[in-house]
Amino acid sequence: MSDNLREVFDLTLFGEYRAVLLKGLWMSLGVFTSSAVLALALGLGIALLRVGRRPWLRRYAIFHTEVARNAPDYIMIVWVHFVLPLLVGKVIGQRLEFNPFYSAVIALAFVYSGYFAETFRAGIEAVPRGHIEAGQALGMSARRITWRLVLPQVVRRMLPESTNQFISMFKATSIVSLIAVPDLMYQVQMVSAQEMKPMPLYTGAALVYFVIVFCAATALQSFSSRWRAKVYA
């Protein structure tokens, strides 16, 4: 093994800075968790508008979904952090700056809300019409039918696809260092600039992402398979 290749896989430096890098990893997980919750809530709302009865709301939902799904993560993060404050500042008449953490959460939530909206919509439309009619025959309100009959079936159907979307979202957190969010990659860059040994640090970061994604995907797929096998009334 050459000296250069040996240096790539020598993770001693990664271990020496584990406290700083672990702090960055927690920040990455915080960005992912916050953006995932917001994306799910926004995606569900857009999906309900998409299948609703009001045409103008359906048109807005379609517009939101298409813009979100076609917006690159990289560009959206930069746009939300640097351009959106200028637009909002013009409206309110004062200078405005966004915290990098909130900018990253808003950008990722917006992008992935489009994917979740389509997943929710497909799940809603896959629910048998007879189930809804049975709820109406029992005198259930439209809201109660949605929450008690439709959504439990939707969640069960959307788990496999949503697992892939969660994985993509977590990997997308690796670019939030563009706007100085002190995540794992930001800390790797700072340590690399100080030690002038980027290869082992980036190799260690890649291994961390791989382990987290692999373990989370395996656990979610196992849970999804078991839960979907059950029959719910």
Side-chain angles (χ1 to χ4, degrees), residues 50-76:
R50 184 80 179 268
V51 299
R53 297 180 180 179
R54 298 182 179 181
W56 65 277
L57 289 177
R58 288 202 303 269
R59 286 193 291 269
Y60 165 75
I62 293 172
F63 174 77
H64 176 98
T65 301
E66 294 304 318
V67 171
R69 291 197 303 165
N70 290 284
D73 303 351
Y74 184 106
I75 295 176
M76 186 55 60

PDB file of all heavy atoms in Angstrom, residues 50-76:
ATOM      1  N   ARG A  50     -54.251  19.004  -3.010  1.00  0.00           N
ATOM      2  CA  ARG A  50     -54.215  18.415  -4.354  1.00  0.00           C
ATOM      3  C   ARG A  50     -55.441  17.538  -4.625  1.00  0.00           C
ATOM      4  O   ARG A  50     -55.926  17.481  -5.757  1.00  0.00           O
ATOM      5  CB  ARG A  50     -52.931  17.588  -4.493  1.00  0.00           C
ATOM      6  CG  ARG A  50     -52.697  16.982  -5.874  1.00  0.00           C
ATOM      7  CD  ARG A  50     -52.129  17.992  -6.836  1.00  0.00           C
ATOM      8  NE  ARG A  50     -51.882  17.390  -8.130  1.00  0.00           N
ATOM      9  CZ  ARG A  50     -50.727  16.839  -8.499  1.00  0.00           C
ATOM     10  NH1 ARG A  50     -49.708  16.839  -7.647  1.00  0.00           N
ATOM     11  NH2 ARG A  50     -50.577  16.325  -9.704  1.00  0.00           N
ATOM     12  N   VAL A  51     -55.929  16.848  -3.616  1.00  0.00           N
ATOM     13  CA  VAL A  51     -57.081  15.970  -3.814  1.00  0.00           C
ATOM     14  C   VAL A  51     -58.385  16.637  -3.372  1.00  0.00           C
ATOM     15  O   VAL A  51     -59.442  15.989  -3.337  1.00  0.00           O
ATOM     16  CB  VAL A  51     -56.899  14.645  -3.046  1.00  0.00           C
ATOM     17  CG1 VAL A  51     -55.675  13.911  -3.531  1.00  0.00           C
ATOM     18  CG2 VAL A  51     -56.806  14.882  -1.528  1.00  0.00           C
ATOM     19  N   GLY A  52     -58.316  17.913  -3.006  1.00  0.00           N
ATOM     20  CA  GLY A  52     -59.501  18.635  -2.564  1.00  0.00           C
ATOM     21  C   GLY A  52     -60.426  18.997  -3.713  1.00  0.00           C
ATOM     22  O   GLY A  52     -60.159  18.709  -4.884  1.00  0.00           O
ATOM     23  N   ARG A  53     -61.487  19.673  -3.371  1.00  0.00           N
ATOM     24  CA  ARG A  53     -62.525  19.996  -4.358  1.00  0.00           C
ATOM     25  C   ARG A  53     -62.372  21.381  -4.975  1.00  0.00           C
ATOM     26  O   ARG A  53     -63.020  21.675  -5.985  1.00  0.00           O
ATOM     27  CB  ARG A  53     -63.903  19.900  -3.700  1.00  0.00           C
ATOM     28  CG  ARG A  53     -64.253  18.489  -3.195  1.00  0.00           C
ATOM     29  CD  ARG A  53     -65.626  18.473  -2.557  1.00  0.00           C
ATOM     30  NE  ARG A  53     -65.973  17.140  -2.085  1.00  0.00           N
ATOM     31  CZ  ARG A  53     -67.127  16.841  -1.471  1.00  0.00           C
ATOM     32  NH1 ARG A  53     -68.027  17.807  -1.262  1.00  0.00           N
ATOM     33  NH2 ARG A  53     -67.365  15.599  -1.061  1.00  0.00           N
ATOM     34  N   ARG A  54     -61.533  22.234  -4.389  1.00  0.00           N
ATOM     35  CA  ARG A  54     -61.415  23.599  -4.886  1.00  0.00           C
ATOM     36  C   ARG A  54     -60.335  23.677  -5.961  1.00  0.00           C
ATOM     37  O   ARG A  54     -59.163  23.437  -5.683  1.00  0.00           O
ATOM     38  CB  ARG A  54     -61.096  24.555  -3.743  1.00  0.00           C
ATOM     39  CG  ARG A  54     -62.195  24.581  -2.680  1.00  0.00           C
ATOM     40  CD  ARG A  54     -61.890  25.566  -1.582  1.00  0.00           C
ATOM     41  NE  ARG A  54     -62.952  25.598  -0.586  1.00  0.00           N
ATOM     42  CZ  ARG A  54     -62.972  26.378   0.488  1.00  0.00           C
ATOM     43  NH1 ARG A  54     -61.944  27.213   0.697  1.00  0.00           N
ATOM     44  NH2 ARG A  54     -63.972  26.343   1.333  1.00  0.00           N
ATOM     45  N   PRO A  55     -60.715  24.047  -7.177  1.00  0.00           N
ATOM     46  CA  PRO A  55     -59.751  24.037  -8.299  1.00  0.00           C
ATOM     47  C   PRO A  55     -58.554  24.950  -8.081  1.00  0.00           C
ATOM     48  O   PRO A  55     -57.428  24.587  -8.428  1.00  0.00           O
ATOM     49  CB  PRO A  55     -60.607  24.497  -9.491  1.00  0.00           C
ATOM     50  CG  PRO A  55     -62.016  24.185  -9.097  1.00  0.00           C
ATOM     51  CD  PRO A  55     -62.077  24.387  -7.614  1.00  0.00           C
ATOM     52  N   TRP A  56     -58.766  26.129  -7.511  1.00  0.00           N
ATOM     53  CA  TRP A  56     -57.637  27.064  -7.369  1.00  0.00           C
ATOM     54  C   TRP A  56     -56.630  26.557  -6.342  1.00  0.00           C
ATOM     55  O   TRP A  56     -55.425  26.784  -6.489  1.00  0.00           O
ATOM     56  CB  TRP A  56     -58.147  28.461  -7.009  1.00  0.00           C
ATOM     57  CG  TRP A  56     -58.812  28.573  -5.665  1.00  0.00           C
ATOM     58  CD1 TRP A  56     -60.104  28.273  -5.363  1.00  0.00           C
ATOM     59  CD2 TRP A  56     -58.218  29.023  -4.451  1.00  0.00           C
ATOM     60  NE1 TRP A  56     -60.353  28.497  -4.036  1.00  0.00           N
ATOM     61  CE2 TRP A  56     -59.229  28.976  -3.452  1.00  0.00           C
ATOM     62  CE3 TRP A  56     -56.942  29.466  -4.107  1.00  0.00           C
ATOM     63  CZ2 TRP A  56     -58.975  29.343  -2.129  1.00  0.00           C
ATOM     64  CZ3 TRP A  56     -56.693  29.849  -2.789  1.00  0.00           C
ATOM     65  CH2 TRP A  56     -57.694  29.776  -1.822  1.00  0.00           C
ATOM     66  N   LEU A  57     -57.104  25.834  -5.322  1.00  0.00           N
ATOM     67  CA  LEU A  57     -56.183  25.232  -4.367  1.00  0.00           C
ATOM     68  C   LEU A  57     -55.434  24.054  -4.989  1.00  0.00           C
ATOM     69  O   LEU A  57     -54.250  23.839  -4.702  1.00  0.00           O
ATOM     70  CB  LEU A  57     -56.935  24.779  -3.123  1.00  0.00           C
ATOM     71  CG  LEU A  57     -57.450  25.884  -2.192  1.00  0.00           C
ATOM     72  CD1 LEU A  57     -58.232  25.298  -1.029  1.00  0.00           C
ATOM     73  CD2 LEU A  57     -56.300  26.746  -1.685  1.00  0.00           C
ATOM     74  N   ARG A  58     -56.118  23.296  -5.837  1.00  0.00           N
ATOM     75  CA  ARG A  58     -55.448  22.190  -6.540  1.00  0.00           C
ATOM     76  C   ARG A  58     -54.362  22.724  -7.459  1.00  0.00           C
ATOM     77  O   ARG A  58     -53.276  22.133  -7.549  1.00  0.00           O
ATOM     78  CB  ARG A  58     -56.451  21.366  -7.339  1.00  0.00           C
ATOM     79  CG  ARG A  58     -57.370  20.513  -6.483  1.00  0.00           C
ATOM     80  CD  ARG A  58     -57.944  19.367  -7.299  1.00  0.00           C
ATOM     81  NE  ARG A  58     -58.661  19.843  -8.477  1.00  0.00           N
ATOM     82  CZ  ARG A  58     -59.953  20.121  -8.494  1.00  0.00           C
ATOM     83  NH1 ARG A  58     -60.689  19.990  -7.395  1.00  0.00           N
ATOM     84  NH2 ARG A  58     -60.539  20.539  -9.605  1.00  0.00           N
ATOM     85  N   ARG A  59     -54.641  23.835  -8.131  1.00  0.00           N
ATOM     86  CA  ARG A  59     -53.630  24.423  -9.026  1.00  0.00           C
ATOM     87  C   ARG A  59     -52.417  24.900  -8.237  1.00  0.00           C
ATOM     88  O   ARG A  59     -51.270  24.730  -8.672  1.00  0.00           O
ATOM     89  CB  ARG A  59     -54.250  25.570  -9.834  1.00  0.00           C
ATOM     90  CG  ARG A  59     -55.190  25.109 -10.949  1.00  0.00           C
ATOM     91  CD  ARG A  59     -55.506  26.240 -11.899  1.00  0.00           C
ATOM     92  NE  ARG A  59     -56.331  27.255 -11.266  1.00  0.00           N
ATOM     93  CZ  ARG A  59     -57.662  27.269 -11.272  1.00  0.00           C
ATOM     94  NH1 ARG A  59     -58.321  26.285 -11.879  1.00  0.00           N
ATOM     95  NH2 ARG A  59     -58.336  28.223 -10.688  1.00  0.00           N
ATOM     96  N   TYR A  60     -52.670  25.515  -7.067  1.00  0.00           N
ATOM     97  CA  TYR A  60     -51.540  25.937  -6.237  1.00  0.00           C
ATOM     98  C   TYR A  60     -50.730  24.733  -5.776  1.00  0.00           C
ATOM     99  O   TYR A  60     -49.489  24.777  -5.763  1.00  0.00           O
ATOM    100  CB  TYR A  60     -52.028  26.723  -5.017  1.00  0.00           C
ATOM    101  CG  TYR A  60     -50.945  26.864  -3.971  1.00  0.00           C
ATOM    102  CD1 TYR A  60     -49.881  27.756  -4.158  1.00  0.00           C
ATOM    103  CD2 TYR A  60     -50.939  26.059  -2.825  1.00  0.00           C
ATOM    104  CE1 TYR A  60     -48.869  27.865  -3.221  1.00  0.00           C
ATOM    105  CE2 TYR A  60     -49.926  26.169  -1.886  1.00  0.00           C
ATOM    106  CZ  TYR A  60     -48.893  27.070  -2.087  1.00  0.00           C
ATOM    107  OH  TYR A  60     -47.885  27.160  -1.174  1.00  0.00           O
ATOM    108  N   ALA A  61     -51.412  23.655  -5.379  1.00  0.00           N
ATOM    109  CA  ALA A  61     -50.713  22.461  -4.907  1.00  0.00           C
ATOM    110  C   ALA A  61     -49.851  21.860  -6.015  1.00  0.00           C
ATOM    111  O   ALA A  61     -48.720  21.426  -5.770  1.00  0.00           O
ATOM    112  CB  ALA A  61     -51.723  21.430  -4.405  1.00  0.00           C
ATOM    113  N   ILE A  62     -50.371  21.832  -7.222  1.00  0.00           N
ATOM    114  CA  ILE A  62     -49.597  21.313  -8.358  1.00  0.00           C
ATOM    115  C   ILE A  62     -48.379  22.194  -8.611  1.00  0.00           C
ATOM    116  O   ILE A  62     -47.262  21.695  -8.830  1.00  0.00           O
ATOM    117  CB  ILE A  62     -50.483  21.237  -9.614  1.00  0.00           C
ATOM    118  CG1 ILE A  62     -51.576  20.175  -9.435  1.00  0.00           C
ATOM    119  CG2 ILE A  62     -49.635  20.908 -10.851  1.00  0.00           C
ATOM    120  CD1 ILE A  62     -52.600  20.162 -10.545  1.00  0.00           C
ATOM    121  N   PHE A  63     -48.588  23.519  -8.566  1.00  0.00           N
ATOM    122  CA  PHE A  63     -47.478  24.454  -8.782  1.00  0.00           C
ATOM    123  C   PHE A  63     -46.397  24.266  -7.721  1.00  0.00           C
ATOM    124  O   PHE A  63     -45.202  24.196  -8.045  1.00  0.00           O
ATOM    125  CB  PHE A  63     -48.014  25.889  -8.749  1.00  0.00           C
ATOM    126  CG  PHE A  63     -46.938  26.941  -8.823  1.00  0.00           C
ATOM    127  CD1 PHE A  63     -46.327  27.248 -10.027  1.00  0.00           C
ATOM    128  CD2 PHE A  63     -46.534  27.619  -7.679  1.00  0.00           C
ATOM    129  CE1 PHE A  63     -45.329  28.215 -10.089  1.00  0.00           C
ATOM    130  CE2 PHE A  63     -45.542  28.583  -7.732  1.00  0.00           C
ATOM    131  CZ  PHE A  63     -44.939  28.881  -8.947  1.00  0.00           C
ATOM    132  N   HIS A  64     -46.801  24.181  -6.466  1.00  0.00           N
ATOM    133  CA  HIS A  64     -45.839  23.988  -5.374  1.00  0.00           C
ATOM    134  C   HIS A  64     -45.063  22.692  -5.562  1.00  0.00           C
ATOM    135  O   HIS A  64     -43.828  22.667  -5.403  1.00  0.00           O
ATOM    136  CB  HIS A  64     -46.577  23.967  -4.030  1.00  0.00           C
ATOM    137  CG  HIS A  64     -45.687  23.672  -2.863  1.00  0.00           C
ATOM    138  ND1 HIS A  64     -45.170  24.656  -2.046  1.00  0.00           N
ATOM    139  CD2 HIS A  64     -45.188  22.496  -2.375  1.00  0.00           C
ATOM    140  CE1 HIS A  64     -44.420  24.107  -1.113  1.00  0.00           C
ATOM    141  NE2 HIS A  64     -44.417  22.796  -1.282  1.00  0.00           N
ATOM    142  N   THR A  65     -45.750  21.627  -5.878  1.00  0.00           N
ATOM    143  CA  THR A  65     -45.103  20.323  -6.027  1.00  0.00           C
ATOM    144  C   THR A  65     -44.072  20.336  -7.146  1.00  0.00           C
ATOM    145  O   THR A  65     -42.957  19.834  -6.976  1.00  0.00           O
ATOM    146  CB  THR A  65     -46.161  19.232  -6.298  1.00  0.00           C
ATOM    147  OG1 THR A  65     -47.089  19.205  -5.207  1.00  0.00           O
ATOM    148  CG2 THR A  65     -45.510  17.869  -6.432  1.00  0.00           C
ATOM    149  N   GLU A  66     -44.433  20.916  -8.286  1.00  0.00           N
ATOM    150  CA  GLU A  66     -43.521  20.929  -9.429  1.00  0.00           C
ATOM    151  C   GLU A  66     -42.299  21.796  -9.160  1.00  0.00           C
ATOM    152  O   GLU A  66     -41.170  21.424  -9.495  1.00  0.00           O
ATOM    153  CB  GLU A  66     -44.257  21.403 -10.688  1.00  0.00           C
ATOM    154  CG  GLU A  66     -45.337  20.451 -11.169  1.00  0.00           C
ATOM    155  CD  GLU A  66     -44.795  19.058 -11.429  1.00  0.00           C
ATOM    156  OE1 GLU A  66     -43.699  18.934 -12.011  1.00  0.00           O
ATOM    157  OE2 GLU A  66     -45.458  18.082 -11.038  1.00  0.00           O
ATOM    158  N   VAL A  67     -42.507  22.957  -8.540  1.00  0.00           N
ATOM    159  CA  VAL A  67     -41.370  23.835  -8.231  1.00  0.00           C
ATOM    160  C   VAL A  67     -40.442  23.165  -7.227  1.00  0.00           C
ATOM    161  O   VAL A  67     -39.216  23.158  -7.387  1.00  0.00           O
ATOM    162  CB  VAL A  67     -41.868  25.189  -7.680  1.00  0.00           C
ATOM    163  CG1 VAL A  67     -40.692  26.008  -7.147  1.00  0.00           C
ATOM    164  CG2 VAL A  67     -42.590  25.963  -8.764  1.00  0.00           C
ATOM    165  N   ALA A  68     -41.023  22.569  -6.183  1.00  0.00           N
ATOM    166  CA  ALA A  68     -40.210  21.951  -5.134  1.00  0.00           C
ATOM    167  C   ALA A  68     -39.412  20.768  -5.669  1.00  0.00           C
ATOM    168  O   ALA A  68     -38.220  20.623  -5.356  1.00  0.00           O
ATOM    169  CB  ALA A  68     -41.117  21.501  -3.979  1.00  0.00           C
ATOM    170  N   ARG A  69     -40.036  19.923  -6.462  1.00  0.00           N
ATOM    171  CA  ARG A  69     -39.354  18.718  -6.943  1.00  0.00           C
ATOM    172  C   ARG A  69     -38.279  19.026  -7.980  1.00  0.00           C
ATOM    173  O   ARG A  69     -37.340  18.238  -8.157  1.00  0.00           O
ATOM    174  CB  ARG A  69     -40.356  17.732  -7.537  1.00  0.00           C
ATOM    175  CG  ARG A  69     -41.272  17.105  -6.507  1.00  0.00           C
ATOM    176  CD  ARG A  69     -41.941  15.864  -7.054  1.00  0.00           C
ATOM    177  NE  ARG A  69     -42.695  16.135  -8.259  1.00  0.00           N
ATOM    178  CZ  ARG A  69     -43.131  15.196  -9.103  1.00  0.00           C
ATOM    179  NH1 ARG A  69     -42.870  13.932  -8.859  1.00  0.00           N
ATOM    180  NH2 ARG A  69     -43.837  15.523 -10.168  1.00  0.00           N
ATOM    181  N   ASN A  70     -38.387  20.156  -8.648  1.00  0.00           N
ATOM    182  CA  ASN A  70     -37.419  20.495  -9.696  1.00  0.00           C
ATOM    183  C   ASN A  70     -36.377  21.505  -9.236  1.00  0.00           C
ATOM    184  O   ASN A  70     -35.530  21.924 -10.033  1.00  0.00           O
ATOM    185  CB  ASN A  70     -38.151  21.029 -10.931  1.00  0.00           C
ATOM    186  CG  ASN A  70     -38.936  19.955 -11.653  1.00  0.00           C
ATOM    187  OD1 ASN A  70     -38.379  19.119 -12.352  1.00  0.00           O
ATOM    188  ND2 ASN A  70     -40.254  19.952 -11.489  1.00  0.00           N
ATOM    189  N   ALA A  71     -36.425  21.910  -7.972  1.00  0.00           N
ATOM    190  CA  ALA A  71     -35.446  22.854  -7.447  1.00  0.00           C
ATOM    191  C   ALA A  71     -34.247  22.095  -6.879  1.00  0.00           C
ATOM    192  O   ALA A  71     -34.414  21.273  -5.980  1.00  0.00           O
ATOM    193  CB  ALA A  71     -36.080  23.715  -6.359  1.00  0.00           C
ATOM    194  N   PRO A  72     -33.037  22.315  -7.391  1.00  0.00           N
ATOM    195  CA  PRO A  72     -31.854  21.637  -6.847  1.00  0.00           C
ATOM    196  C   PRO A  72     -31.612  22.025  -5.387  1.00  0.00           C
ATOM    197  O   PRO A  72     -31.776  23.187  -5.003  1.00  0.00           O
ATOM    198  CB  PRO A  72     -30.711  22.129  -7.754  1.00  0.00           C
ATOM    199  CG  PRO A  72     -31.381  22.633  -8.988  1.00  0.00           C
ATOM    200  CD  PRO A  72     -32.708  23.163  -8.547  1.00  0.00           C
ATOM    201  N   ASP A  73     -31.211  21.054  -4.584  1.00  0.00           N
ATOM    202  CA  ASP A  73     -30.945  21.318  -3.167  1.00  0.00           C
ATOM    203  C   ASP A  73     -29.914  22.433  -2.991  1.00  0.00           C
ATOM    204  O   ASP A  73     -30.085  23.342  -2.172  1.00  0.00           O
ATOM    205  CB  ASP A  73     -30.433  20.051  -2.469  1.00  0.00           C
ATOM    206  CG  ASP A  73     -31.396  18.891  -2.600  1.00  0.00           C
ATOM    207  OD1 ASP A  73     -32.519  19.108  -3.081  1.00  0.00           O
ATOM    208  OD2 ASP A  73     -31.023  17.771  -2.216  1.00  0.00           O
ATOM    209  N   TYR A  74     -28.837  22.357  -3.749  1.00  0.00           N
ATOM    210  CA  TYR A  74     -27.718  23.302  -3.642  1.00  0.00           C
ATOM    211  C   TYR A  74     -28.198  24.730  -3.874  1.00  0.00           C
ATOM    212  O   TYR A  74     -27.955  25.632  -3.067  1.00  0.00           O
ATOM    213  CB  TYR A  74     -26.655  22.907  -4.672  1.00  0.00           C
ATOM    214  CG  TYR A  74     -25.382  23.710  -4.643  1.00  0.00           C
ATOM    215  CD1 TYR A  74     -24.214  23.154  -4.134  1.00  0.00           C
ATOM    216  CD2 TYR A  74     -25.324  25.001  -5.143  1.00  0.00           C
ATOM    217  CE1 TYR A  74     -23.028  23.881  -4.124  1.00  0.00           C
ATOM    218  CE2 TYR A  74     -24.156  25.738  -5.132  1.00  0.00           C
ATOM    219  CZ  TYR A  74     -23.011  25.167  -4.628  1.00  0.00           C
ATOM    220  OH  TYR A  74     -21.851  25.893  -4.603  1.00  0.00           O
ATOM    221  N   ILE A  75     -28.920  24.920  -4.976  1.00  0.00           N
ATOM    222  CA  ILE A  75     -29.378  26.266  -5.324  1.00  0.00           C
ATOM    223  C   ILE A  75     -30.412  26.769  -4.333  1.00  0.00           C
ATOM    224  O   ILE A  75     -30.401  27.943  -3.935  1.00  0.00           O
ATOM    225  CB  ILE A  75     -29.947  26.277  -6.762  1.00  0.00           C
ATOM    226  CG1 ILE A  75     -28.829  25.967  -7.767  1.00  0.00           C
ATOM    227  CG2 ILE A  75     -30.606  27.609  -7.082  1.00  0.00           C
ATOM    228  CD1 ILE A  75     -29.303  25.851  -9.192  1.00  0.00           C
ATOM    229  N   MET A  76     -31.306  25.899  -3.893  1.00  0.00           N
ATOM    230  CA  MET A  76     -32.367  26.322  -2.979  1.00  0.00           C
ATOM    231  C   MET A  76     -31.789  26.764  -1.634  1.00  0.00           C
ATOM    232  O   MET A  76     -32.251  27.749  -1.042  1.00  0.00           O
ATOM    233  CB  MET A  76     -33.369  25.190  -2.780  1.00  0.00           C
ATOM    234  CG  MET A  76     -34.590  25.576  -1.946  1.00  0.00           C
ATOM    235  SD  MET A  76     -35.473  27.036  -2.593  1.00  0.00           S
ATOM    236  CE  MET A  76     -35.933  26.440  -4.226  1.00  0.00           C
TER     237      MET A  76
END
